[in-house]
């Protein structure tokens, strides 16, 4: 499995997506993360499938897309058509989680499940075999630039053990408050993919910041 940092486009320049894709490519990025918020499940609005569809022709990046929306079933075909590779829903936002995961797979995308910081790992015991990715939120979702919640590290480690015991190639991903101080801690906890927003885009040099964070996987 390719362990990597995924720059969160929530921290990018929304007016320059095409240029941002070129900057990320130059830095060695292969995967990017889209945060989709509906103003209901979380108190913020971002972008939708139309924006992703407009960007898709300009890059071959893996599009990892995180839906922070209530009952997202009706949106799944639109994200498929936009060119999304992996679609993650929230455990807390969906009534019938297994059904929505199946709908994502039926549309030809990989399916992920996200957990808010206070949601325990044990809720995934029965559905873990159904998903391709588990996303651990280390901040309460809704806004970028928040402070990392240290108590989520134990949950990452528990999920790492659960995934390893399953024998399946499930990605363990983390999002929220990632910087040069917190990155080594989540890597030690066993994560595969790390979402980083402001730590990448707000740095003096994007390529250097991405390389430093990504290098933590090798240390």
């Amino acid at each position: 499995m390719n362990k990597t940092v995924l720059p969160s486009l929530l921290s990018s320049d929304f007016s320059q997506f095409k240029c941002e894709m070129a900057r990320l490519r130059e830095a060695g990025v292969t995967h990017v993360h889209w945060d989709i918020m509906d103003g209901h499940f979380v108190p913020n609005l971002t972008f939708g499938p139309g924006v992703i569809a407009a960007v898709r022709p300009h890059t071959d990046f893996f599009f990892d897309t995180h839906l922070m929306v209530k009952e997202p079933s009706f949106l799944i075909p639109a994200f498929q058509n936009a060119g999304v590779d992996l679609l993650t829903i929230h455990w807390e936002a969906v009534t019938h989680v297994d059904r929505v995961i199946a709908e994502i797979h039926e549309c030809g995308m990989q399916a992920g499940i996200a957990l808010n910081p206070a949601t325990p790992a044990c809720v995934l015991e029965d559905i873990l075999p159904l998903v391709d990715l588990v996303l651990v939120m280390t901040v309460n979702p809704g806004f970028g630039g928040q402070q990392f919640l240290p108590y989520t590290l134990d949950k990452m480690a528990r999920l790492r053990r659960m995934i390893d015991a399953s024998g399946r190639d499930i990605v363990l991903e983390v999002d929220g408050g990632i910087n040069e101080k917190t990155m080594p801690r989540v890597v030690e906890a066993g994560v595969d993919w790390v979402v980083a927003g402001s730590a990448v885009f707000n740095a003096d040099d994007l390529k250097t910041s991405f390389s430093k964070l990504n290098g933590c996987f090798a240390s």
Side-chain angles (χ1 to χ4, degrees), residues 6-12 14 17 32-39 42 44-49 51-52 63-69 79 84 86-88 90 114 135 137 139-145 173-176 195-198 201:
L6 292 82
S8 170
L9 298 171
L10 185 63
S11 296
S12 69
F14 292 3
F17 274 133
V32 293
H33 185 85
W34 294 91
D35 287 301
I36 311 301
M37 306 181 191
D38 66 354
V42 293
N44 196 7
L45 282 169
T46 55
F47 18 72
V51 173
I52 296 177
F63 278 2
D64 172 42
T65 304
H66 176 197
L67 298 188
M68 287 165 274
V69 305
F79 283 105
V84 165
L86 189 152
L87 198 63
T88 294
H90 260 267
L135 170 56
M137 294 301 299
V139 300
N140 287 296
F143 295 93
E173 183 177 44
V174 65
D175 184 5
V195 179
S198 56
F201 286 102

Side-chain angles (χ1 to χ4, degrees), residues 79-219:
F79 283 105
Q80 175 197 20
N81 293 334
V84 165
D85 297 290
L86 189 152
L87 198 63
T88 294
I89 60 170
H90 260 267
W91 169 271
E92 304 85 0
V94 177
T95 303
H96 301 292
V97 175
D98 54 347
R99 182 184 301 168
V100 180
I101 290 168
E103 291 170 354
I104 295 170
H105 282 146
E106 287 165 5
C107 282
M109 294 176 287
Q110 295 180 54
I113 188 76
L115 300 179
N116 281 341
T119 302
C122 62
V123 300
L124 299 186
E125 287 179 356
D126 292 332
I127 67 159
L128 191 62
L130 306 180
V131 302
D132 304 291
L133 175 145
V134 176
L135 170 56
V136 177
M137 294 301 299
T138 55
V139 300
N140 287 296
F143 295 93
Q146 297 185 64
Q147 295 296 308
F148 181 89
L149 296 171
Y151 74 82
T152 58
L153 287 163
D154 286 340
K155 179 159 61 176
M156 291 173 219
R158 289 197 300 273
L159 284 164
R160 178 76 273 159
R161 293 191 293 270
M162 289 168 62
I163 290 170
D164 290 346
S166 77
R168 295 189 63 246
D169 192 20
I170 300 168
V171 175
L172 180 57
E173 183 177 44
V174 65
D175 184 5
I178 297 300
N179 53 43
E180 289 186 25
K181 292 182 178 179
T182 57
M183 181 73 186
R185 300 177 72 185
V186 301
V187 169
E188 184 179 3
V191 302
D192 303 301
W193 290 1
V194 179
V195 179
S198 56
V200 173
F201 286 102
N202 295 351
D204 292 335
D205 184 273
L206 185 150
K207 184 175 183 178
T208 299
S209 62
F210 172 77
S211 296
K212 283 184 178 179
L213 292 174
N214 219 38
C216 291
F217 284 114
S219 59

